[in-house]
Amino acid sequence: MTKPDSGPAPGNGDHVSTRAVLDEFAAGDPDDHLRLGDLLSGLRQTAFGMLLFVAVLPAFIPIPGVAGAISGPLVVLIGAQLLFCLRKPWLPGFLARRGPYRRSMVRFRDRMARWLGWLEKVVRPRMEGVLDHPVASAFTGLLLVLLGLLLALPIPFTNYVFGVLLLLFVFALLERDGALMLVAWLAGAIAVVVFGFVSGNLVQMLVHMVDGWF
């Protein structure tokens, strides 16, 4: 039987390492259900990074349609809130009560262990103006909205590509690394151009959305 985890999210509210997040959430009963609302409690500046991290996890599940149906809309929701410069993420009640099982965090941590070791050597809090300035936050949000839309589209063999790309944004937000965010911007913009506008996938989706409004 699963049970919700009502404990506080790890971290001091200002900066929390990605490894610390994974270690905290992996500790305990693998059948525990980690609610999104609980994961975000106690976090301030890194709350968007934490929420984006959880949103990206389904992109690494090798089941067709799962990433698009779950990760895509969540990434769009997070991006829209950054685009409008909200200070902390908002979740509707039905989403706040949902979230991953602890076993998913364990598998992801074990799979990423080698990369996390490398990450700790090169990623650190720096150039935080790239994260906190309203214009920079809005640009991050815009890219996340576009990447979330692309992730939601049935583009073959792109789940891992977008998942890894979105992890750059996750690590930049969690580790407060503005330099890494600049790399994420560049990689995100290239992906939007290549997979979205050059292929016509994103343009076609936006046209359908506009047609639906009118």
Side-chain angles (χ1 to χ4, degrees), residues 42-55:
L43 297 177
R44 293 195 295 273
Q45 291 177 310
T46 57
F48 281 107
M50 184 70 258
L51 182 56
L52 184 61
F53 172 72
V54 176

Side-chain angles (χ1 to χ4, degrees), residues 3-214:
K3 56 184 179 179
D5 175 36
S6 57
N12 59 13
D14 294 316
H15 170 254
V16 54
S17 72
T18 307
R19 183 184 291 272
V21 168
L22 290 174
D23 286 344
E24 180 73 16
F25 293 154
D29 188 342
D31 291 328
D32 278 354
H33 179 214
L34 303 171
R35 296 178 298 186
L36 290 178
D38 295 329
L39 298 185
L40 298 180
S41 64
L43 297 177
R44 293 195 295 273
Q45 291 177 310
T46 57
F48 281 107
M50 184 70 258
L51 182 56
L52 184 61
F53 172 72
V54 176
V56 170
L57 286 179
F60 294 93
I61 300 176
I63 301 176
V66 170
I70 300 177
S71 290
L74 273 175
V75 172
V76 170
L77 176 63
I78 298 164
Q81 294 181 50
L82 284 170
L83 179 60
F84 290 102
C85 298
L86 296 189
R87 297 182 63 85
K88 61 181 181 179
W90 169 85
L91 286 174
F94 75 94
L95 281 180
R97 293 188 294 270
R98 288 170 169 78
Y101 286 96
R102 200 182 297 274
R103 70 173 75 92
S104 298
M105 293 291 190
V106 173
R107 286 197 298 265
F108 188 83
R109 181 198 60 183
D110 294 344
R111 182 179 299 180
M112 294 290 294
R114 179 180 177 183
W115 294 103
L116 288 173
W118 173 82
L119 182 72
E120 289 181 332
K121 298 177 182 178
V122 298
V123 178
R124 62 184 184 276
R126 55 186 167 182
M127 298 174 62
E128 297 189 20
V130 176
L131 304 172
D132 298 332
H133 193 282
V135 175
S137 177
F139 184 66
T140 298
L142 176 61
L143 284 176
L144 288 177
V145 167
L146 296 175
L147 290 170
L149 290 173
L150 285 172
L151 183 58
L153 291 173
I155 307 174
F157 312 114
T158 57
N159 282 2
Y160 285 130
V161 173
F162 289 124
V164 171
L165 176 55
L166 288 167
L167 282 179
L168 294 178
F169 288 88
V170 169
F171 295 147
L173 290 169
L174 281 178
E175 303 284 348
R176 304 289 299 159
D177 192 336
L180 181 59
M181 182 60 78
L182 293 177
V183 174
W185 283 358
L186 178 60
I190 292 173
V192 168
V193 171
V194 173
F195 292 102
F197 294 108
V198 172
S199 66
N201 289 307
L202 190 57
V203 173
Q204 185 178 8
M205 183 177 188
L206 293 175
V207 168
H208 287 165
M209 289 176 59
V210 173
D211 287 342
W213 294 338
F214 298 99

